[in-house]
Amino acid sequence: MAKVHSKSAAKIFGIGMPKTGTTSLNQALNALGIRTLHWLSEKRTLDQLEKGDLRLDALRNHDGVTDIIGMLWYKELDRIFPGSKFILTVRQKEDWLESASHFWPKNEAKKKERALYYYRTSVFGCLDFRRDHFWDVYEDHRHNVRRYFVDRPQDLLEIDICSGQGWEKLCPFLNIETPDIPFPHLNHYRKKSEPGDQQDANSLNHFIQIDSTQI
């Protein structure tokens, strides 16, 4: 069990599994002026996580995080940051499995990277892709999140970004006006490249100011 410290201000946490549009969610939130971080891999964060300390230094000047940290420790983060909002990104089964199978590295050297090793073994208990096991983990996580928030629907948004959902669900949940820009759809694996992704990303660049040294 992670350590719970004194309570802090509310934040936004993406709590979806990897490859469910978490990068797109991060960029969308930043476009709305909500400064969230993604893929926290620096030594200080990993040191804190390994000690069970979730009052992360990286969050002091940011509004939340959208990566595996939220997915793994949403209950503890809910206690540390009362009043926070949680966003569960989901994806169709075969689409998710296809993307995950291509995303998991086969390079043995890469598997030794500290952040990658820590996060992936924490989520799946392994580094190599295992279809049935991965889907069991996915389903267990979705079920547990829904059960945890069953009496607090106002605090949880479930969104399928990969199937095209975007501002029409995110903005009402956050009580923010819908921006007149495309919703970002980034890092979405496709069997063949499709036009438009880079254009969508570029159209958001001037809205987003992220301190890359803290990601």
Side-chain angles (χ1 to χ4, degrees):
M1 178 65 68
K3 300 175 184 177
V4 177
H5 296 267
S6 59
K7 295 182 178 181
S8 304
K11 295 188 182 294
I12 306 292
F13 294 104
I15 60 174
M17 294 287 290
K19 308 311 295 176
T20 60
T22 57
T23 305
S24 298
L25 174 62
N26 182 67
Q27 191 154 1
L29 290 171
N30 277 279
L32 294 173
I34 301 171
R35 287 176 50 83
T36 54
L37 296 168
H38 192 76
W39 191 249
L40 290 169
S41 58
E42 76 284 354
K43 182 180 184 299
R44 176 56 180 163
T45 293
L46 294 174
D47 286 345
Q48 288 185 281
L49 291 174
E50 289 175 358
K51 293 176 182 177
D53 181 3
L54 288 169
R55 199 177 64 174
L56 302 176
D57 292 346
L59 286 176
R60 289 180 179 175
N61 298 316
H62 291 83
D63 303 313
V65 66
T66 61
D67 59 21
I68 291 174
I69 291 172
M71 178 246 143
L72 282 171
W73 294 292
Y74 60 91
K75 295 179 184 179
E76 289 85 349
L77 292 168
D78 187 31
R79 290 191 284 269
I80 296 170
F81 302 99
S84 292
K85 296 289 187 179
F86 296 83
I87 302 171
L88 176 64
T89 47
V90 298
R91 191 169 183 176
Q92 295 298 312
K93 179 178 180 179
E94 293 304 322
D95 191 24
W96 183 76
L97 287 169
E98 177 83 7
S99 180
S101 69
H102 286 269
F103 184 66
W104 258 248
K106 297 178 174 59
N107 185 301
E108 293 300 322
K110 186 173 179 63
K111 292 177 185 179
K112 296 178 182 178
E113 293 179 5
R114 184 185 178 193
L116 185 146
Y117 181 90
Y118 179 75
Y119 286 135
R120 292 191 178 175
T121 54
S122 295
V123 176
F124 295 103
C126 61
L127 291 172
D128 293 320
F129 178 75
R130 296 162 52 197
R131 179 184 173 89
D132 291 341
H133 172 66
F134 271 43
W135 187 246
D136 286 343
V137 174
Y138 179 101
E139 286 282 79
D140 286 346
H141 175 65
R142 184 167 59 176
H143 172 75
N144 290 335
V145 168
R146 289 172 173 174
R147 182 173 58 184
Y148 181 78
F149 287 100
V150 66
D151 296 322
R152 297 165 50 196
Q154 73 280 2
D155 294 332
L156 175 68
L157 171 68
E158 188 168 322
I159 183 172
D160 189 344
I161 292 173
C162 296
S163 71
Q165 294 179 345
W167 299 130
E168 77 284 354
K169 295 199 71 173
L170 182 61
C171 291
F173 174 69
L174 299 174
N175 196 27
I176 293 177
E177 184 177 351
T178 302
D180 188 22
I181 54 176
F183 192 92
H185 291 276
L186 309 175
N187 295 345
H188 185 185
Y189 170 78
R190 296 175 175 84
K191 293 181 180 179
K192 294 182 180 180
S193 61
E194 296 179 7
D197 292 343
Q198 189 60 45
Q199 180 179 355
D200 288 351
N202 290 339
S203 68
L204 292 172
N205 284 343
H206 66 285
F207 287 93
I208 301 170
Q209 297 179 353
I210 306 175
D211 183 359
S212 61
T213 64
Q214 298 194 51
I215 298 178

